[in-house]
Amino acid sequence: MAKQQMLSFVTVPRDMPEKRAPEVRREDFDEIYAEFADRKAAEQASRCSQCGVPYCQTHCPLHNNIPDWLRLTAEGRLQEAYEVAQLTNTFPEICGRICPQDRLCEGNCVIEQSGHGTVTIGTIEKYITDTAWERGWIKPSKPERELGRSVGIIGAGPGGLAAADMLRRAGANVTVYDRYDRAGGLMTYGIPGFKLEKHVVMRRVEQLEEAGVEFRMNCNVGEDIGFEEIREAHDAVLIATGVYKSRDLQAPGVGAGGIVRAIDYLTASNRHGFGDDVPEFASGELNAEGKKVVVIGGGDTAMDCVRTAIRQGATSVKCLYRRDRTNMPGSQREVANAEEEGVEFVWLSAPKGFAGDVVEGVMVQRMRLGAPDATGRQMPEILEGSDYVEEADLVIKALGFEAEELPTLWGCPELEVTRWGTVKADFRSHQTSLPDVWAVGDIVRGASLVVWAIRDGRDAAASILDQFAEAPAMAAE
Ligand SMILES: Cc1cc2nc3c(=O)[nH]c(=O)nc-3n(C[C@H](O)[C@H](O)[C@H](O)COP(=O)(O)OP(=O)(O)OC[C@H]3O[C@@H](n4cnc5c(N)ncnc54)[C@H](O)[C@@H]3O)c2cc1C
Ligand code: SF4
């Protein structure tokens, strides 16, 4: 591959890999972006200005060595680029696909701020690691020696899996317990395939199995096995259970048929994609085909629901959000993708109630943005006399998630939680109030991001290994 000169941002414009046309991608659940061609990836990587103090790296939760792997990509030294990328990130190809880069690395790229358009960091990270998979450079994390210590991890999402990878590499015996039948957490059953194809997650799980990580699936901790039993079976325990309690609406008629929770809807769709038998999908209860769909919410989950409904063949898909476009929490990139695919956003609108025993419509009240609250964010206010009915035969509630009450569910009141129910853990070591118990990811942070769960999982694994290293010395005293 031809070697590219760096700092080419003045002459080479920002470019993304080809995006499939909306009318084509609406028909399936495959990812919407093609892969960069080798020459294109090198050219785009060469746009990096190689800052002495790289803000992209500072704002990446994993502090990836972005300028280094961009330079190596531009020079055609792809295997070295992969080696550098995987030093700080357990799943670079996953982050490259689904990080909200506009809020993280790319949003802080200096050439973006000088008006030249950011370096396409995420797509290059994906390209490097997809190439590494194609060329067989990614191997199972088999350890050189066994430590003779065991770790039980509760939850097979990105937090749990990132920790499992590091711990197994270091020689710990790792058992991962999860209540689902497949590993991956929300990467498997929450995030749709058009953002993250499932084989990308499954091949990582297979490699962990090959490395010797034991997965105990269909094992709901608190029901099928006690938390104390897990503590007794292992030298250390990591809680990585995520947040699954859906926030609900208080509005007349909200209990009507046809009003469903986003997590149930997306899980059914993902299971159907795996070829599973999903009765609620087959019956139409969790399937948007032929329906007028209204999604309530303005976050990434709502974006995933509207785009899933389009692909299932809904006759119309509308998204109600009580603030406006600039004040929504979801990614602007995903809103643009949804609009291209045919989703209609009804900004400044909120549900007041629902009509029908089986839902027929949403009573909508229009809003305006009023004075800022304590956080500086403008509060939505009701516009009196502006109500109307939006027809709907499937309503999906995507209002966010909260933590389940683990101390109660697991009969363990000593496990300290915050007033939001998230587990209290030291922010560096991730140790909880219980000895030899760590916690990471959404169950500590509240609903967050895959990249933060990976960061936490890696940090907690390092802390557990530190404790293992100290233990023999303490025993000898
Ligand atoms: C629809 C949706 C879309 C998203 N899109 C993005 C995105 O584009 N980019 C991004 O960065 N983030 C996204 N997120 C957020 C991201 O998925 C989460 O922040 C991340 O998965 C959290 O990782 P985790 O390991 O903490 O938990 P999870 O991924 O939730 O995994 C937790 C695991 O624990 C298991 N578990 C829970 N309780 C028990 C129990 N009692 N016993 C056994 N197992 C248990 C669960 O079955 C699950 O497998 C999205 C979230 C949702 C819901
Ligand atoms: S992990 Fe996410 S934030 Fe960090 S460089 Fe990759 S895409 Fe950017």
Side-chain angles (χ1 to χ4, degrees), residues 67 91 99 117 153 160 179 195 202 224 269 297-298 387 391 404 416:
F91 309 126
C99 271
I153 297 179
R179 62 185 171 195
K195 277 165 54 183
M202 292 304 133
D224 302 314
S269 174
D387 301 1
E391 277 184 47
E404 289 163 303
E416 283 183 22

Side-chain angles (χ1 to χ4, degrees), residues 279-351:
E280 302 83 0
F281 184 88
S283 70
E285 190 187 330
L286 294 175
N287 181 355
E289 188 179 357
K291 293 187 178 155
K292 293 189 217 63
V293 178
V294 169
V295 176
I296 301 168
D300 287 330
T301 302
M303 298 308 107
D304 289 350
C305 290
V306 288
R307 297 178 68 202
T308 297
I310 289 278
R311 282 160 175 79
Q312 288 177 345
T315 50
S316 68
V317 182
K318 296 190 179 177
C319 183
L320 302 188
Y321 180 55
R322 63 199 182 125
R323 291 187 165 92
D324 60 5
R325 188 184 195 116
T326 39
N327 286 288
M328 70 178 294
S331 149
Q332 293 298 325
R333 181 180 63 183
E334 297 305 306
V335 178
N337 284 334
E339 282 180 326
E340 285 171 12
E341 290 163 10
V343 175
E344 189 187 323
F345 286 87
V346 190
W347 306 113
L348 294 163
S349 60

Side-chain angles (χ1 to χ4, degrees), residues 117-426:
T118 174
V119 178
T120 49
I121 298 169
T123 48
I124 295 171
E125 189 177 23
K126 166 179 178 285
Y127 160 80
I128 294 168
T129 319
D130 282 349
T131 307
W133 274 103
E134 269 166 35
R135 301 197 188 167
W137 300 335
I138 303 182
K139 303 277 185 237
S141 44
K142 287 197 176 132
E144 283 169 14
R145 66 185 176 101
E146 297 292 340
L147 281 183
R149 311 299 290 268
S150 97
V151 184
I153 297 179
I154 309 172
L161 295 184
D165 177 76
M166 257 184 90
L167 289 161
R168 185 63 202 132
R169 266 174 213 278
N173 293 322
V174 180
T175 308
V176 181
Y177 302 83
D178 200 291
R179 62 185 171 195
Y180 284 147
D181 54 345
R182 291 184 180 90
L186 288 171
M187 300 190 297
T188 298
Y189 284 135
I191 300 173
F194 50 82
K195 277 165 54 183
L196 175 63
E197 284 175 13
K198 300 300 155 188
H199 72 94
V200 175
V201 182
M202 292 304 133
R203 66 186 175 189
R204 284 288 180 183
V205 175
E206 282 157 24
Q207 277 223 335
L208 287 167
E209 279 172 330
E210 272 181 60
V213 173
E214 189 191 339
F215 284 90
R216 292 219 194 137
M217 306 310 293
N218 297 308
C219 179
N220 191 350
V221 175
E223 276 185 21
D224 302 314
I225 186 171
F227 177 56
E228 281 309 316
E229 212 179 313
I230 292 183
R231 287 185 75 193
E232 279 162 25
H234 301 283
D235 299 305
V237 173
L238 177 69
I239 303 171
T241 49
V243 287
Y244 284 87
K245 196 161 83 181
S246 298
R247 286 202 192 111
D248 214 344
L249 277 170
Q250 303 292 331
V254 73
I259 304 178
V260 303
R261 299 185 311 174
I263 191 69
D264 299 335
Y265 174 69
L266 292 172
T267 305
S269 174
N270 278 314
R271 280 195 181 283
H272 177 71
F274 274 109
D276 293 355
D277 181 22
V278 188
E280 302 83 0
F281 184 88
S283 70
E285 190 187 330
L286 294 175
N287 181 355
E289 188 179 357
K291 293 187 178 155
K292 293 189 217 63
V293 178
V294 169
V295 176
I296 301 168
D300 287 330
T301 302
M303 298 308 107
D304 289 350
C305 290
V306 288
R307 297 178 68 202
T308 297
I310 289 278
R311 282 160 175 79
Q312 288 177 345
T315 50
S316 68
V317 182
K318 296 190 179 177
C319 183
L320 302 188
Y321 180 55
R322 63 199 182 125
R323 291 187 165 92
D324 60 5
R325 188 184 195 116
T326 39
N327 286 288
M328 70 178 294
S331 149
Q332 293 298 325
R333 181 180 63 183
E334 297 305 306
V335 178
N337 284 334
E339 282 180 326
E340 285 171 12
E341 290 163 10
V343 175
E344 189 187 323
F345 286 87
V346 190
W347 306 113
L348 294 163
S349 60
K352 186 178 178 182
F354 300 90
D357 290 338
V358 173
V359 73
E360 291 163 5
V362 184
M363 274 113 49
V364 180
Q365 51 195 8
R366 303 306 307 242
M367 317 291 285
R368 67 169 166 231
L369 291 180
D373 64 12
T375 65
R377 211 164 165 222
Q378 278 183 286
M379 292 288 289
E381 292 171 354
I382 296 168
L383 266 180
E384 297 298 344
S386 63
D387 301 1
Y388 71 99
V389 176
E390 188 77 65
E391 277 184 47
D393 32 33
L394 177 64
V395 174
I396 304 170
K397 297 175 286 182
L399 301 156
F401 300 96
E402 286 168 4
E404 289 163 303
E405 286 143 27
L406 292 189
T408 314
L409 289 172
W410 291 354
C412 184
E414 309 81 40
L415 179 66
E416 283 183 22
V417 293
T418 65
R419 64 190 158 111
W420 299 281
T422 48
V423 172
K424 274 192 190 171
D426 180 85

Side-chain angles (χ1 to χ4, degrees), residues 60-62 64 66 89 95 99 101 104-105 121-122 125 451:
C60 164
L62 293 160
N64 281 341
I66 300 163
N89 192 351
C95 293
C99 271
Q101 286 100 6
L104 301 170
C105 52
I121 298 169
E125 189 177 23
V451 65

